[in-house]
Amino acid sequence: MGASLVVTARETLEASLIVGILLAYLAQTENRRYFLSVWMGVGLAVIASGLLAAVLLLTVGEFTGMWEEAFEGGVMWAAAGVLTYMLWWMGKQSRNLGGSLRAGAETALARGSVGAIVSLAFLAVFREGAETALYLSAIASTNSGYGVAVGAGAGFSAAALAGYLIYRGGSRFLNLRLFFRVTTVVLMVFAASLVGQATLAFQAAGIFPGTIAVWDTSQFLVETSGLGSVLRVLVGYTAAP
């Protein structure tokens, strides 16, 4: 639940900021008539992200045995790679993201095309939604689907509310820099745990060879316990790695 909450909150807040920047630019340039176009793009992006998540989850359920382990390992590896790249890219682009979005909106307005505004909003939000779908699929492959869904719902709700408050001028009450710094550290640790869990999946599938046990802490903390399961999700903890 913890990992899905952090991932969804981070991605949803980024999407909310993107939508807020687009709406603020349209309002400043007296183009409020395009608000509906932005929300159309957002709605389509949410639907497309949901369909992608459904395809990933259903695909996992179709495999059995070594193929299931191999597919889950591949999804976790892909999620770890995309997550790491996203964090690096956001670190570089965070200062210029608003300018890039405003430039894209200006180009779309110059064309006078509703479709261009819809496409701009769709692509900007779907990038975040597709990443979220991939991450949640990776988490769900080794954790309770109910817990993942609850965490994702809580993260989405909290981040959507924060995004609305920012748009309404309440950003002074939210320390976004601290939020992104903390979640960056948490998500980098989570990415490392995905690599570890993917390695276990590939070993179970026979793709990677087995390894010797480094230690065994099962007498103190097993990964199926409350704290152990949290550590397993966040940092890839196993009692006998």
Side-chain angles (χ1 to χ4, degrees):
M1 176 177 173
S4 61
L5 189 153
V6 174
V7 166
T8 308
R10 166 87 183 217
E11 297 297 318
T12 302
L13 185 56
E14 288 179 3
S16 298
L17 292 174
I18 288 171
V19 174
I21 291 171
L22 289 175
L23 293 177
Y25 177 78
L26 292 174
Q28 291 170 1
T29 57
E30 302 297 329
N31 285 290
R32 291 177 179 270
R33 63 184 181 280
Y34 288 106
F35 273 21
L36 180 60
S37 300
V38 171
W39 289 118
M40 286 177 60
V42 172
L44 291 173
V46 171
I47 293 173
S49 300
L51 290 175
L52 176 61
V55 169
L56 288 172
L57 292 173
L58 291 175
T59 302
V60 172
E62 290 298 316
F63 294 108
T64 57
M66 65 167 291
W67 292 109
E68 180 180 9
E69 298 287 353
F71 185 81
E72 289 179 357
V75 170
M76 285 186 281
W77 256 16
V82 172
L83 182 57
T84 304
Y85 174 78
M86 180 272 292
L87 294 173
W88 171 80
W89 184 85
M90 282 298 296
K92 290 188 62 177
Q93 300 294 326
S94 58
R95 294 182 179 180
N96 300 320
L97 183 60
S100 300
L101 286 170
R102 285 188 287 270
E106 184 178 357
T107 301
L109 290 174
R111 296 176 183 174
S113 171
V114 171
I117 296 293
V118 173
S119 298
L120 177 63
F122 172 83
L123 293 174
V125 175
F126 180 66
R127 183 186 66 224
E128 309 296 337
E131 291 171 355
T132 304
L134 181 59
Y135 307 151
L136 294 182
S137 298
I139 299 171
S141 64
T142 56
N143 296 276
S144 164
Y146 175 77
V148 172
V150 171
F156 176 83
S157 300
L161 176 60
Y164 174 76
L165 292 176
I166 291 170
Y167 175 71
R168 299 298 298 179
S171 58
R172 61 185 179 277
F173 300 112
L174 302 171
N175 192 331
L176 291 179
R177 179 171 296 182
L178 178 61
F179 172 82
F180 283 115
R181 282 181 177 176
V182 171
T183 54
T184 293
V185 173
V186 173
L187 292 179
M188 281 302 296
V189 173
F190 170 59
S193 77
L194 285 177
V195 174
Q197 293 180 64
T199 301
L200 291 175
F202 286 138
Q203 286 178 327
I207 298 174
F208 284 178
T211 57
I212 61 172
V214 181
W215 65 72
D216 188 348
T217 55
S218 57
Q219 56 182 324
F220 305 107
L221 182 65
V222 295
E223 57 262 33
T224 55
S225 66
L227 178 59
S229 61
V230 172
L231 292 175
R232 179 168 63 87
V233 172
L234 292 179
V235 299
Y237 170 78
T238 53

